Amino acid sequence: MTPALSCYSTALVEYLGGAAAGRMASAVHLWVRTDDPDGALAFSHNDRIDGGALVHDHRPDWPSAREALAGVLAGEGQVIVSGNAFHLPWSPHHGVRVVPHWFLLRAHDAEGWLVADPFHALTPGGEQLPYAGVLDDDSLRRALTPVGHLEAAVRNRDVHALGEPVDTGPADAYRWLRRSTAPPVGPPREWPGTWLRDPREVFGYLRERLTADGDLLERHVDDLWAASRHQLHRLGTRPDPDLADAWTQLPKALRFAVDSARRGRPRSGVVERALDTLARLTTGPEVSRARS
């Protein structure tokens, strides 16, 4: 069974197969960038588990994208594509929200493109169930409609989907991931900006920023929802019950605070308590791992 992660991580684990779910559990963390030029936050939820093999590719128009996708599919057997949830009939965001959404192409023949989307989640917009089916060329073209300009929080989510910042290509192009043909050379490149990695420092920073800025909280509820799912996957099937409950309650508390603020009744104390609980339950080994 595909683990309950974000749409990005779900597609990645499904694509890599084998022990990828276990590698993801071992790779999970929560890091936050504190100095994004646009004033938004950026999050990293995990170390890369693809060995750095995957890179983004793109084409400016559908005919060239279709040809390239068919070639990658023929050579690799499957492709992670970056779809547009506004145009995905199986998404709760269909017709409502333009946002990137990863899913897989598994085959292509005269009948169309075999699509697999194992992502399953209950979102504020409704439930998304796993989807498998065949799309004809025109349906796939719509599903991959370029997302265009993205607000900073969503763009950061897309850029860090593999765990580290990467070039995702122009947002007004058709986009997908492929295996790089060139081995990585040289030392790992420096991450741009200033990042907090120690869990307690992360929780303290988020407490300060999200309780003081309701708009920032609303923009990043989805990021903390994704953090909750990753952390629960990390904890496994026999987790510490208090820590598992704290991560389960975090996105609920943040969503309640956002909804209350919209009604003119801010509830910053709810945010404080949720993050303080996680900081209190964070263990020494987790802090040591972050510092190493």
Side-chain angles (χ1 to χ4, degrees), residues 3-6 9 24-25 28-31 43-46 119 121-122 202-203 206 220-236 239 242-255 274-275 278 286:
L5 296 163
S6 69
S9 298
M24 177 61 76
V28 166
H29 57 235
L30 180 60
W31 299 347
F43 293 87
S44 169
H45 297 288
N46 53 273
F119 182 58
L122 182 61
V202 170
F203 295 135
L206 292 176
H220 290 291
V221 165
D222 286 348
D223 293 293
L224 276 303
W225 174 86
S228 170
R229 287 170 71 93
H230 282 83
Q231 293 290 333
L232 289 169
H233 177 61
R234 177 182 69 85
L235 292 174
D242 292 333
L243 188 55
D245 182 66
W247 278 113
T248 299
Q249 295 304 319
L250 176 66
K252 298 177 183 178
L254 301 187
R255 178 58 61 186
L275 292 169
L278 283 166
E286 288 173 313

Side-chain angles (χ1 to χ4, degrees), residues 32 56 65 80 83 85-86 120 125 128 147 170 174 176 178 186 196 223 269 285:
V32 61
H56 288 261
I80 297 176
F86 188 91
H120 182 200
Q128 172 157 332
V147 291
Y174 295 89
W176 59 92
R178 60 170 175 79
L196 296 179
D223 293 293

Side-chain angles (χ1 to χ4, degrees), residues 125-214:
E127 184 179 21
Q128 172 157 332
L129 297 172
Y131 174 82
V134 176
L135 301 181
D136 60 24
D137 275 3
D138 194 51
S139 296
L140 182 63
R141 177 190 60 79
R142 287 196 303 273
L144 302 185
T145 299
V147 291
H149 174 76
L150 293 171
E151 62 178 77
V154 179
R155 184 184 69 248
N156 286 342
R157 207 170 295 152
D158 208 42
V159 166
H160 297 85
L162 289 171
E164 66 180 5
V166 299
D167 181 4
T168 61
D172 59 354
Y174 295 89
R175 301 183 298 152
W176 59 92
L177 288 90
R178 60 170 175 79
R179 292 188 179 274
S180 174
T181 56
V185 294
R189 63 188 181 89
E190 292 291 327
W191 286 34
T194 300
W195 288 79
L196 296 179
R197 292 175 169 83
D198 181 303
R200 291 172 187 164
E201 292 178 359
V202 170
F203 295 135
Y205 178 77
L206 292 176
R207 182 187 194 274
E208 176 184 349
R209 292 295 309 276
L210 300 182
T211 56
D213 189 338

Side-chain angles (χ1 to χ4, degrees), residues 19-160:
R23 295 203 305 276
M24 177 61 76
S26 298
V28 166
H29 57 235
L30 180 60
W31 299 347
V32 61
R33 181 177 177 180
T34 63
D35 63 343
D36 186 87
D38 293 307
L41 304 178
F43 293 87
S44 169
H45 297 288
N46 53 273
D47 300 325
R48 290 191 69 160
I49 64 169
D50 66 317
L54 290 173
V55 295
H56 288 261
D57 203 349
H58 56 88
R59 295 294 185 278
D61 58 78
W62 174 242
S64 62
R66 181 191 183 282
E67 180 180 2
L69 282 170
V72 176
L73 191 57
E76 300 185 8
Q78 58 180 345
V79 186
I80 297 176
V81 291
S82 184
N84 183 333
F86 188 91
H87 296 283
L88 301 181
W90 62 88
S91 170
H93 298 309
H94 181 230
V96 176
R97 186 183 181 197
V98 172
V99 64
H101 181 88
W102 287 6
F103 60 95
L104 292 93
L105 302 183
R106 286 273 172 76
H108 175 226
D109 58 24
E111 299 298 318
W113 305 79
L114 179 62
V115 167
D117 184 357
F119 182 58
H120 182 200
L122 182 61
T123 74
E127 184 179 21
Q128 172 157 332
L129 297 172
Y131 174 82
V134 176
L135 301 181
D136 60 24
D137 275 3
D138 194 51
S139 296
L140 182 63
R141 177 190 60 79
R142 287 196 303 273
L144 302 185
T145 299
V147 291
H149 174 76
L150 293 171
E151 62 178 77
V154 179
R155 184 184 69 248
N156 286 342
R157 207 170 295 152
D158 208 42
V159 166
H160 297 85

